[in-house]
């Protein structure tokens, strides 16, 4: 298959064959050019599955998923949807859920209605935290009935959306997206801030202003980071860290402006300065 794309916003066309070359090319493009290509072509075209997908692996020095959260999520099929059906599922201790195909990096077709175990999802969310749960791959097994040994479908998935009750934090529903090795997925990756105890700015009494707690990336499914370390150890008063400064695997594509601030050391307020005199 031949893919014709514009070499740059100028409109010059080049032939890419096989399709993997488009992905390799995207890795070398500037953020401006990547944004242009993502606007001009559907994400599905850029991220289409190919017969020989690129292989990715976690690199030393970058966070890797904690094996203690390696868990298979068990589910049963659900024939129909609706408010009454959902209420019956929750009463039976199950969470109404959906599994989608990753057609454009975040949702798509091949929808399967399922129900998962409330206690299992609640345990994972409570232990990991909501944003970390939504950045973690799990194996999903769909069985005809809760006690059946027959497996209807076994697939690796990424939790896409989690709906909790506003008052009780009860799990109301979960949406999953299939995550084969060939998929590229849009993920809000959690940020973990370290080094605040030695930050020059914070030692001077300034305050830490956390602007973003997650940052969205386009990630190869095999190397979705569980979190991103943000080093505050050298940050002084008035300094900030922007999205483009975050240290991530080179295969990840930032889907936010590079100059978007994620954290800043704020100067002392005028009232505080007067008190200190």
């Amino acid at each position: 298959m031949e893919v014709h794309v514009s070499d740059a916003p100028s409109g010059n066309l080049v032939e890419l064959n096989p399709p993997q070359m488009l992905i390799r090319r995207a890795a070398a493009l500037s953020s401006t050019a990547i944004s242009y290509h993502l606007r001009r072509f559907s994400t599905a075209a850029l991220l289409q599955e190919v017969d020989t997908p690129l292989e990715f692996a976690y690199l030393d020095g970058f966070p890797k998923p904690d094996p203690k959260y390696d868990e298979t999520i068990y589910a049963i099929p659900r024939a129909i949807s609706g408010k009454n059906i959902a209420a019956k599922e929750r009463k039976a201790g199950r969470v109404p859920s959906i599994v989608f195909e990753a057609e454009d990096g975040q949702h798509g077709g091949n929808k399967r209605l399922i129900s998962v175990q409330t206690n299992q999802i609640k345990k994972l969310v409570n232990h990991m935290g909501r944003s970390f749960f939504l950045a973690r791959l799990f194996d999903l097994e769909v069985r005809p009935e809760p006690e059946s040994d027959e497996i209807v479908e076994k697939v690796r998935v990424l939790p896409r959306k989690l709906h909790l009750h506003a008052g009780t934090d009860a799990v109301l529903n979960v949406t999953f997206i299939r995550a084969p090795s060939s998929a590229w997925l849009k993920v809000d990756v959690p940020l973990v801030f370290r080094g605040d105890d030695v930050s020059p700015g914070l030692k001077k009494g300034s305050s830490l202003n956390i602007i973003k707690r997650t940052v969205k990336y386009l990630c190869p499914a095999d190397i979705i980071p569980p979190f991103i370390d943000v080093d505050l150890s050298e940050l002084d008063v008035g300094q900030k860290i922007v999205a483009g400064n975050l240290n991530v695997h080179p295969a990840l594509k930032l889907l936010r402006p590079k100059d978007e601030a994620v954290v800043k050391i704020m100067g002392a307020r005028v009232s505080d300065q007067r008190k200190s005199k």
Side-chain angles (χ1 to χ4, degrees):
M1 182 180 74
E2 294 182 347
V3 180
H4 296 270
V5 299
S6 174
D7 185 46
S10 62
N12 297 326
L13 294 179
V14 295
E15 281 190 1
L16 295 177
N17 189 12
Q20 301 99 297
M21 294 179 64
L22 181 56
I23 299 175
R24 293 195 182 98
R25 179 174 179 78
L29 292 174
S30 66
S31 59
T32 302
I34 290 174
S35 177
Y36 169 80
H37 282 289
L38 289 177
R39 290 196 305 270
R40 182 172 172 84
F41 307 103
S42 69
T43 309
L46 178 63
L47 306 178
Q48 59 185 309
E49 294 186 16
V50 293
D51 293 334
T52 55
L54 298 176
E55 295 183 1
F56 296 96
Y58 288 99
L59 300 178
D60 292 340
F62 293 96
K64 300 177 182 179
D66 191 333
K68 74 178 181 180
Y69 296 119
D70 288 345
E71 188 162 337
T72 298
I73 294 176
Y74 298 102
I76 59 173
R78 185 163 48 95
I80 56 177
S81 60
K83 187 175 181 180
N84 291 336
I85 297 298
K88 289 180 180 179
E89 289 297 289
R90 295 186 189 107
K91 189 174 181 179
R94 296 187 290 266
V95 179
S97 306
I98 301 176
V99 183
F100 283 105
E101 201 73 53
E103 287 187 354
D104 66 351
Q106 57 184 354
H107 50 63
N110 194 14
K111 179 175 72 173
R112 180 190 287 275
L113 298 177
I114 60 171
S115 292
V116 295
Q117 299 173 5
T118 301
N119 289 341
Q120 184 179 27
I121 301 301
K122 184 177 180 180
K123 180 194 71 174
L124 288 168
V125 173
N126 288 345
H127 287 181
M128 301 179 67
R130 181 174 183 170
S131 61
F132 295 89
F133 173 75
L134 294 172
R136 173 78 189 208
L137 294 178
F138 295 95
D139 287 330
L140 176 74
E141 284 189 5
V142 182
R143 300 171 182 251
E145 298 176 357
E147 304 301 325
S148 174
D149 292 329
E150 179 187 352
I151 298 176
V152 176
E153 180 182 17
K154 183 173 183 178
V155 63
R156 189 174 65 171
V157 297
L158 174 73
R160 168 58 59 197
K161 294 180 181 179
L162 176 68
H163 185 199
L164 303 179
H165 189 280
T168 64
D169 280 343
V171 182
L172 298 180
N173 54 61
V174 189
T175 299
F176 299 96
I177 186 168
R178 293 179 177 87
S181 292
S182 57
W184 288 61
L185 304 175
K186 295 176 183 178
V187 184
D188 290 308
V189 183
L191 304 180
V192 174
F193 300 92
R194 307 183 191 277
D196 54 313
D197 55 331
V198 295
S199 165
L202 295 179
K203 280 190 170 184
K204 294 173 184 177
S206 296
S207 60
L208 181 67
N209 180 20
I210 297 177
I211 303 166
K212 293 284 184 180
R213 294 192 178 273
T214 64
V215 175
K216 188 180 291 292
Y217 286 87
L218 190 61
C219 308
D222 285 344
I223 55 167
I224 294 174
F227 58 87
I228 296 171
D229 275 318
V230 183
D231 185 8
L232 307 175
S233 62
E234 298 182 2
L235 215 58
D236 211 335
V237 178
Q239 293 182 335
K240 63 183 179 182
I241 296 175
V242 298
N245 295 145
L246 297 175
N247 187 27
V248 299
H249 192 292
L252 271 59
K253 310 296 187 299
L254 178 64
L255 297 180
R256 303 295 303 169
K258 278 191 173 183
D259 60 354
E260 183 175 72
V262 298
V263 65
K264 182 177 181 179
I265 302 292
M266 304 295 292
R269 292 174 297 186
V270 175
S271 58
D272 292 338
Q273 292 174 348
R274 288 174 178 171
K275 290 178 182 179
S276 63
K277 290 181 180 179

